[in-house]
Amino acid sequence: MIHSLFLINSSGDIFLEKHWKSVVSRSVCDYFFEAQERATEAENVPPVISTPHHYLLSVYRHKIFFVAVIQTEVPPLFVIEFLHRVVDTFQDYFGVCSEPVIKDNVVVVYEVLEEMLDNGFPLATESNILKELIKPPTILRTVVNTITGSTNVGDQLPTGQLSVVPWRRTGVKYTNNEAYFDVIEEIDAIIDKSGSTITAEIQGVIDACVKLTGMPDLTLSFMNPRLLDDVSFHPCVRFKRWESERILSFIPPDGNFRLLSYHVSAQNLVAIPVYVKHNISFRDSSSLGRFEITVGPKQTMGKTIEGVTLSSQMPRGVLNMSLTPSQGTHTFDPVTKMLSWDVGKINPQKLPSLKGTMSLQAGASKPDENPTINLQFKIQQLAISGLKVNRLDMYGEKYKPFKGIKYMTKAGKFQVRT
Amino acid sequence: MTDSKYFTTTKKGEIFELKAELNSDKKEKKKEAVKKVIASMTVGKDVSALFPDVVNCMQTDNLELKKLVYLYLMNYAKSQPDMAIMAVNTFVKDCEDPNPLIRALAVRTMGCIRVDKITEYLCEPLRKCLKDEDPYVRKTAAVCVAKLHDINAQLVEDQGFLDTLKDLISDSNPMVVANAVAALSEIAESHPSSNLLDLNPQSINKLLTALNECTEWGQIFILDCLANYTPKDDREAQSICERVTPRLSHANSAVVLSAVKVLMKFMEMLSKDLDYYGTLLKKLAPPLVTLLSAEPELQYVALRNINLIVQKRPEILKHEMKVFFVKYNDPIYVKLEKLDIMIRLASQANIAQVLAELKEYATEVDVDFVRKAVRAIGRCAIKVEQSAERCVSTLLDLIQTKVNYVVQEAIVVIKDIFRKYPNKYESVIATLCENLDSLDEPEARAAMIWIVGEYAERIDNADELLESFLEGFHDESTQVQLQLLTAIVKLFLKKPTETQELVQQVLSLATQDSDNPDLRDRGYIYWRLLSTDPVAAKEVVLAEKPLISEETDLIEPTLLDELICYIGTLASVYHKPPSAFVEGGRGVVHKSLPPRTASSESTESPETAPAGAPPGEQLDVIPTQGDLLGDLLNLDLGPPVSGPPLATSSVQMGAVDLLGSGLDSLMGDEPEGIGTPNFVSPPAAAAVPANLGAPMGSGLSDLFDLTSGVGTLSGSYVAPKAVWLPAMKAKGLEISGTFTRQVGSISMDLQLTNKALQVMTDFAIQFNRNSFGLAPAAPLQVHAPLSPNQTVEISLPLNTVGSVMKMEPLNNLQVAVKNNIDVFYFSTLYPLHILFVEDGKMDRQMFLATWKDIPNENEAQFQIRDCPLNAEAVSSRLQSSNIFTVAKRNVEGQDMLYQSLKLTNGIWVLAELRIQPGNPSFMLSLKCRAPEVSQHVYQAYETILKN
C-alpha cells in the first residue's frame, strides 16, 4: 500500500513528507528529479517511475508534484486516484492548494493525511467525514480556539462513518432548505483544416449543492435518459433503480458533491456551437505572413456564446505579429510564441475577427508546422447534448425544499487545426 | 496566525527553546510546542532529541494534543526503542477508553510503532479490539493485524490473529469486511503459499454483498480479491460478472479498472455463443472510454491497460478509434500510448481516418512524437494490407519535406514495408537514394544499406553507393557495419564481375581490422562460404526471407493472458509479469486465465481452440512445408516447377571462376589459427538473422487461425468460405473455399483472388494422397487470365478414386495449387459428411445383426449439447445429409433413433441417438468397424444439427 508521500514544488524542493509505514529516506526522490530533468515540461513527467526498491507514482496539480512511494504491487490507479483526492481535500479545506497555503497549515495537513490513510490503507476520504474529524481552519475558529482552549480536532466518532449512508451525517438542520443542480457539459473536439469535425465528444457532469434538513430521499428524472448510456455515479445513487427505470434515486450527501458524470461518445452526433475561419499563410519568398481569424456561432440553439478566448502556439519561425482585433484584446509573446485573443461575447451580426501580418525570420524557410487553435467558450442555459431534467422529487421529509437547475456548456479541449 | 510561525527560529537554538516550552505548565503552550515539533518533522528536520519531553505530553485528555504526540511517536519510536516503552501504559489504557475514537486511535498508533518490545504489549489490546462492539474499532484493528504481521509474522500466527481476521470476512459491517480483505491480501502477498484467502462460493457471496455497501477503496480490495477466484463453472462465472458489472459505473477509476479485470478474466469462461457474452462486451467499452476523460496520469495507466485489452479482445473497442486521437496539448506519455493503441485498432474500415491523423501528427513540433507517428504509418502498412499503397505514398510525401528525422524514420519503416510486400513498391528506391547523404542515425543508415544490398540488381550505382559508406567503415556503429558487410556480399553475388574488389575490401575490414567479434565472425562465415562453394553461398545469402508481419510487436499470447490477470496493477503498466520486477520474486504467484469449462467447450467446434491456447496443440493439423513438399513434388504438375536456383546459370558460373582465382589467393593470406581450411558452411539459419531477422514462426500462426472456419461446415448448406491460402503466403494469390455434397457428387467450391500486381495464368491443382482417396475429377478450369484484384469462383468436382493414405487427423487434405508465378501448398480439413453416400440406409434386421456383431469396445459415446430440435426434426435434418433413421422407439419417455450411414469407401457407421423431450442434450452412441472415424462422424452430427 501507500508507503510515503512527498510534496515537491516546481523548483525541486521537497517541502512536505509523510510516512505511513517506516520512514523512507527522501533520497528516493532523486529518481524523480532525474525524470523531471529529462522531461521538457512539468506536465510531461511520467506518472509511474520505477527505482531499484520503490515505485514513485506522481500527479502534478497546482504546480506541485504529489509523489507517492510504494514498495509492493499496488494498483497504480488506486494510488493516483487517492493523490487526486488528497489535492481535492486540501482545496476543500483551504480554498486553494498551493505551497504557501500548505506550509501555513502544515499541522492540519499532517493531521488530515494521518486520517486519510492508515498503514497505507485509505481510512476516511469523504470530505464531510474528514471535516468532522479535523475541522478546517477559519479565522473565527482560530479566535475561538485561542480564547476557549478548544481544539480543531473532533472528539466524537463521525456519525456517517459506518452507517449505510456513510456520505451523510445525521442531524443536519437548515432553515432554508435548498437543492441546486448544475448540468455542465464540456465539448472536447478536434476540427480539421476544412472545418469538418474529426472527433467530438461531450463530458458532462451534474454537480449538486444540497442543503436539506434530515434524511431526504431524492429522485431526479430526465426527459431523455437514453442519452446517458455511459455514466459514473456518486456512491449514493441506487444503481438498480437506474438500471430498471432510468431514474436517479439517492440520499444526497450534505453540501457540494458531484452526483453524476457522463460521457456522450464520439459516435453520437455532437453539435458544434462555434466555427473558426482561418487564413494563416506563409510565403516562401517574403518574410511576412498573412494571418486572419474569424469566429462565429454555428449550432447554438439561439443562445449567446460568451467568454470566448482563442490561443495558439505559433511556429518558432514567427518573430512578431502585428494584428488588429475587431473586438476584445490580444497578446503575442515573442518568447513563447503564444498568441492569445480574448474575444468575449460573439455578436452574430458582427462577427469578431483578428487580422494582420506575421513577421518571420528573414531568410529562413517557411515553417513546417501548422499552428493549432485552442478555443474556450461558454454558453449559459444550454446543455449541448440536449439533456434535460424532467423533475426532482423529495421523499422522507415533510418540508418543501427550494429546487433549482442550471445548464451550461463549455469548451473542454476544443482544438481547431489550421 | 498561521502555522508558518512554527518554522521561525531564534538565536538561542531551536531545540533548547522547544524543550522549555514542552515542559511548560500551560496546556496551550505545550500544544503549540508540540505543533512546532511536528512542523519541523514534516520538513525532515531531526527533532528526535525531544523524545522524552514529547512523550511526557501524552497523558492528556485533549484529543488534538494526543494525536499530535502519537504522530511524533510513530516517526521516532524506532530510533528510541527504550524510551518508547514509556508510552505503552498510556496505549493500553486508551484501548479501554469508552470513546471508540480513542480506542481505535490507540490500537492504530500502537501498530505503527515498529519496536519489538512494544508489539508484545500490543497483542492483548489488539485481541480485544478485533472483537470490539464498535465496527470502527474492528475495522481499524483488522488493519493493525497486517501491520503487526509486517513487524513480526510469527507472533501473529502464534496468537491466532489470522483466524480472527478470516472470521471478520463474515462480519456484518461491509467496511470491516473490506478492511479484513485488504489486510489478508497484504499478508498473503508476502506469504504466497499460505492460502489465507481460500475462496469458496460462500465467502464469494459475502464479498459480493459487501461490495455493494463498502467505500470505494474497499471495493477495490474486494474486486482484486475476487479476481483471484476461479469459479467452478460458467454459470457461476456469469453470476459473479452480473454482480460486478454495476461497478463499471463508479466514479472512482480504480474501481472501474478492477471491475474490468474481474470481467475480463471470468469472461474467458463464458461461451461466446451466450447472449450474455455479447452484452458484457458491449458494457465494457463505455467505462474504458470514460477513463480517457480523466486526469492525464489516470489516462496513462488506463491506456497501458487498454493496450492489453485491445490485444486480447479487439472487438470491445473496435468502434472507438476516435477517442484515441491525440490532442496537441496531451502530455507526451499520453500521446505515445494513444498512438500505439490507434495502430492496434487500425483496420480496413478506419484506415483512411487513421492515416489522415498520423500525417497530421508527423508535422507536429515534438520530435519523439513525430518519429513515432512516422513509424506508426509503416506499422499500418504492414497491418492493413489494403492501405499499404496509401501508406507508402504518405511516407514519400513526408520524405519530400526533407525534415531530417522524418526522412530517417520513413526510411526505416519503408525497409519493413519491403520485407512485408516484396516486389511491390521498389519503384520508390530512387527517391530514397536521393536522401542518402542526410542520414546520420545508425538505424536509418543500416536500413538504407539493407535496401541497397537487397535490391542491388535494380540500382545501377549500388556499388558506388556502398563504396561511399565503406570509406568511413570504422567510424560506423556495429549495426551499420554488419549491414554493410552483408549488403556488399549480396551485391557481389548479384553482380560478381564489377564488385570483386569491394567485397575483398569489406571482408578484410571486417575480419582483420575490427575487434568486434560479431562482425569478425560474420565476415569469416561469408569468406568461407564464398571460397568453399559460391553456389551454396548464393543460396544461403540470397535465400528468400520470411515475410514480416505485424505480430512482431504484439505481446506473446501466454504473457498477454498472464497480464490480463494483472489488469490495473503495476505489471500492466510495465507489460511485464510481476516476477520480472517485483523485488526478490517474493510473493509472486503466476496467474492464468481460467479455462473454458467442459460444457461450453463441447459447443464449440474442436478446431476453434480457446484464444490464447498454445499453438503447439494445433501443430499436428498443419504439416510442415517439408513433408508436404516431399510428397507433392512427386506429383505431375504439368510445366516444370522453377525450384530453387541450381548452379546452371552463367552468372553463377562466373562467380565460381572468379572465386577460384580471386578469393583463393586471399585465403592464402589468412592468418593462422582462425580456422581450418575446410570450414563447414553454417546452416542457412545463421544467415537469416543477418538479414535483419524477423520471427520465422509468425507465418504459421496465421494459418492456425484460418482453420477455425473449416470446422463449422455443414452438409445441407454451403458453409461460408474460409480462407485457406492467404495472399501473403502465395505471392498475392488468395484462395478460400468450402466443400459441398449435392446429389451424390462432391465438389470443392473455390474462390481465387489475385491480390498481386501482375496477371495470373496457368492454374492447376493437385491433392496429396489422403484418407478417403479424394481427388479432383476434372482439371482446374480458370478460363481467362486472372488480372489484379479480380476474383473468380470455381466449383471443382471431386471423386474418391484417388490413392489412399491415412492422414492425421483423418480428414486432413493437403493441396497444391500452381500458377504462372509459383506453386503453393496448403492444407485444410474437410467435414466428413461430404462422404456420406445416398444409399446409406440399412435394413432393420441387418442393422440389428450388425450392431450386435460389432464388438462393444468399438462403441463410442458422445454428448450433443444445446440442440433444441425434437426427434422428427432431427431425423429429417440428418436425412438430408444422408444419415438415415432405420427405426425409432420410445423408451421411458425418451426417443431412441437408430440410424445408419455409409462412407464412400464402404464403411458403415451405426448410431443410436437418445433424445429426451425438453432436454437439449442428446446422447449419441456410434458403432463402427473402423472406430477412428467415430470422432469425425460425431463432429458431422454436431455441425449438421447446429446449422
Side-chain angles (χ1 to χ4, degrees), chain B residues 166 176 354 412 722 730 776 832 902:
Chain B
K166 277 191 219 167
V176 179
V354 174
V412 172
L832 209 63
K902 193 169 96 176

Side-chain angles (χ1 to χ4, degrees), chain A residues 84-339:
Chain A
H84 281 297
R85 207 63 62 86
V86 169
V87 184
D88 294 343
T89 310
F90 288 173
Q91 214 168 359
D92 198 27
Y93 260 77
F94 313 122
V96 279
C97 176
S98 66
E99 190 186 344
V101 166
I102 292 177
K103 276 186 173 164
D104 281 352
N105 295 288
V106 70
V107 177
V108 176
V109 165
Y110 218 67
E111 285 170 338
V112 167
L113 286 176
E114 183 61 28
E115 271 329 311
M116 290 183 85
L117 278 188
D118 174 21
N119 194 34
F121 296 106
L123 198 60
T125 51
E126 283 285 338
S127 108
N128 61 46
I129 293 179
L130 278 172
K131 281 185 175 167
E132 274 183 72
L133 284 167
I134 317 277
K135 302 216 170 57
T138 59
I139 294 172
L140 181 70
R141 188 162 300 123
T142 332
V143 175
V144 171
N145 284 357
T146 34
I147 295 166
T148 62
S150 64
T151 71
N152 60 348
V153 173
D155 56 2
Q156 285 303 307
L157 193 59
T159 47
Q161 179 95 342
L162 289 155
S163 72
V164 208
V165 279
W167 53 85
R168 190 175 179 88
R169 60 196 169 100
T170 48
V172 183
K173 267 210 179 91
Y174 289 100
T175 41
N176 294 325
N177 288 296
E178 337 167 280
Y180 297 106
F181 293 86
D182 292 351
V183 179
I184 303 166
E185 298 193 337
E186 289 193 357
I187 309 178
D188 288 350
I190 303 177
I191 311 290
D192 78 358
K193 283 186 189 53
S194 59
S196 50
T197 310
I198 292 181
T199 162
E201 45 189 348
I202 297 172
Q203 315 286 353
V205 293
I206 300 184
D207 282 343
C209 174
V210 178
K211 294 182 172 168
L212 297 174
T213 307
M215 271 286 168
D217 196 334
L218 303 180
T219 58
L220 186 72
S221 65
F222 297 97
M223 306 279 259
N224 36 11
R226 263 158 199 274
L227 275 171
L228 304 175
D229 61 343
D230 179 4
V231 284
S232 319
F233 296 120
H234 188 277
C236 68
V237 176
R238 298 185 179 98
F239 191 73
K240 285 232 172 75
R241 188 93 191 267
W242 170 257
E243 284 274 273
S244 56
E245 302 169 55
R246 298 274 138 177
I247 284 177
L248 293 179
S249 157
F250 55 97
I251 296 175
D254 186 37
N256 292 308
F257 66 102
R258 176 156 295 174
L259 177 64
L260 160 77
S261 53
Y262 58 95
H263 176 248
V264 180
S265 71
Q267 283 166 53
N268 297 18
L269 273 183
V270 173
I272 302 291
V274 279
Y275 71 87
V276 176
K277 264 206 319 217
H278 49 81
N279 181 8
I280 302 171
S281 56
F282 304 100
R283 263 162 302 169
D284 266 328
S285 50
S286 145
S287 63
L288 278 182
R290 273 237 311 262
F291 184 95
E292 187 177 343
I293 296 183
T294 312
V295 269
K298 217 167 154 188
Q299 295 157 287
T300 60
M301 328 283 165
K303 303 280 197 280
T304 327
I305 306 175
E306 312 168 338
V308 181
T309 54
L310 279 81
S311 61
S312 179
Q313 175 78 48
M314 300 307 287
R316 266 171 294 210
V318 177
L319 283 183
N320 213 338
M321 305 182 81
S322 120
L323 303 169
T324 347
S326 71
Q327 71 178 73
T329 52
H330 80 284
T331 51
F332 176 72
D333 183 340
V335 181
T336 59
K337 314 288 179 202
M338 186 58 90
L339 171 72

Side-chain angles (χ1 to χ4, degrees), chain A residues 1 15-23 26 43-50 52-53 55 58-61 70 72-78 80-82 84-85 103-108 110-111 114-115 117-119 121-123 125-126 133-134 142 146 149-158 161-162 188-190 193 198-199 201 203 229-233 235 239 243 263 265-267 311 313 316 368-370 372 374 413 415 417, chain B residues 1-4 6-7 28 31 35 38-39 41-44 62-64 67-68 71 74-75 99-101 108 112 114 134-136 139-140 143 146-147 150 173 175 179 182-183 186 189 216-217 220-221 224 246 248-254 257 283 286-287 289-290 293 295 297-302 319-320 322-323 325-333 353 357 360-361 363-365 403 566 568-571 573-574 578 581-583 586:
Chain A
M1 292 295 125
F15 66 91
L16 188 106
E17 59 181 288
K18 168 87 184 95
H19 307 276
W20 284 276
K21 292 183 163 187
S22 49
V23 178
R26 54 166 68 190
E43 284 83 6
N44 288 342
V45 178
V48 184
I49 298 168
S50 72
H53 301 286
Y55 294 90
S58 62
V59 303
Y60 181 67
R61 280 178 68 181
I70 58 174
T72 49
E73 175 69 272
V74 177
L77 271 189
F78 155 84
I80 295 174
E81 269 283 353
F82 178 81
H84 281 297
R85 207 63 62 86
K103 276 186 173 164
D104 281 352
N105 295 288
V106 70
V107 177
V108 176
Y110 218 67
E111 285 170 338
E114 183 61 28
E115 271 329 311
L117 278 188
D118 174 21
N119 194 34
F121 296 106
L123 198 60
T125 51
E126 283 285 338
L133 284 167
I134 317 277
T142 332
T146 34
S150 64
T151 71
N152 60 348
V153 173
D155 56 2
Q156 285 303 307
L157 193 59
Q161 179 95 342
L162 289 155
D188 288 350
I190 303 177
K193 283 186 189 53
I198 292 181
T199 162
E201 45 189 348
Q203 315 286 353
D229 61 343
D230 179 4
V231 284
S232 319
F233 296 120
F239 191 73
E243 284 274 273
H263 176 248
S265 71
Q267 283 166 53
S311 61
Q313 175 78 48
R316 266 171 294 210
D368 302 315
E369 67 264 33
N370 302 318
T372 302
N374 240 357
K413 286 188 169 178
Q415 312 189 335
R417 292 178 182 159
Chain B
M1 281 292 283
T2 63
D3 294 354
S4 50
Y6 301 132
F7 291 112
E28 207 39 44
K31 199 167 86 184
K35 281 194 180 178
I38 299 281
M41 192 175 85
T42 57
V43 291
N62 183 316
L63 190 62
E64 187 178 17
K67 276 194 173 179
L68 290 171
L71 277 177
M74 284 187 243
N75 232 15
N99 185 344
L101 196 60
R108 195 174 123 198
C112 293
R114 306 173 62 87
D134 194 297
Y136 181 75
K139 89 170 189 166
T140 316
V143 176
K147 294 181 197 168
D150 194 31
N173 187 296
M175 289 299 306
N179 271 17
E186 196 182 68
E189 205 178 315
E216 47 199 316
W217 314 108
I220 300 171
F221 300 135
D224 285 347
L248 293 177
S249 303
H250 203 287
N252 185 320
S253 57
L257 203 57
K283 280 193 174 166
V289 171
T290 305
S293 52
E295 285 83 0
E297 299 91 2
L298 297 170
Q299 276 188 49
Y300 171 74
V301 178
H319 298 302
E320 303 288 350
K322 284 186 172 176
V323 301
F325 284 1
V326 173
K327 309 234 164 57
Y328 87 97
N329 45 4
D330 283 334
I332 181 74
Y333 54 81
Q353 264 183 333
E357 278 295 301
E360 194 73 39
Y361 303 159
T363 61
E364 278 213 30
V365 190
V403 178
Y566 289 107
T569 66
L570 281 172
V573 174
Y574 286 108
F581 63 88
V582 168
E583 208 157 277
R586 171 186 85 126

Side-chain angles (χ1 to χ4, degrees), chain B residues 303-411:
Chain B
L303 284 166
R304 290 296 284 171
N305 281 286
I306 288 173
N307 201 328
L308 294 174
I309 293 168
V310 161
Q311 289 184 54
K312 180 71 187 166
R313 297 194 187 277
E315 61 271 31
I316 294 177
L317 287 168
K318 67 177 173 209
H319 298 302
E320 303 288 350
M321 170 64 89
K322 284 186 172 176
V323 301
F324 299 103
F325 284 1
V326 173
K327 309 234 164 57
Y328 87 97
N329 45 4
D330 283 334
I332 181 74
Y333 54 81
V334 168
K335 281 183 178 175
L336 296 179
E337 286 307 314
K338 279 189 174 172
L339 201 54
D340 208 43
I341 294 172
M342 277 173 69
I343 301 161
R344 299 212 191 280
L345 287 175
S347 68
Q348 200 180 342
N350 56 26
I351 192 72
Q353 264 183 333
V354 174
L355 273 182
E357 278 295 301
L358 292 177
K359 203 174 170 186
E360 194 73 39
Y361 303 159
T363 61
E364 278 213 30
V365 190
D366 192 316
V367 177
D368 280 346
F369 183 57
V370 170
R371 283 172 182 274
K372 190 129 188 217
V374 175
R375 268 197 198 208
I377 296 174
R379 278 170 71 187
C380 282
I382 288 165
K383 181 163 185 203
V384 186
E385 189 172 353
Q386 291 81 358
S387 75
E389 202 158 344
R390 212 173 328 171
C391 294
V392 172
S393 75
T394 309
L395 288 170
L396 283 180
D397 286 352
L398 290 174
I399 289 178
Q400 299 306 343
T401 64
K402 303 277 178 195
V403 178
N404 187 283
Y405 52 86
V406 173
V407 173
Q408 309 214 34
E409 286 297 324
I411 286 179

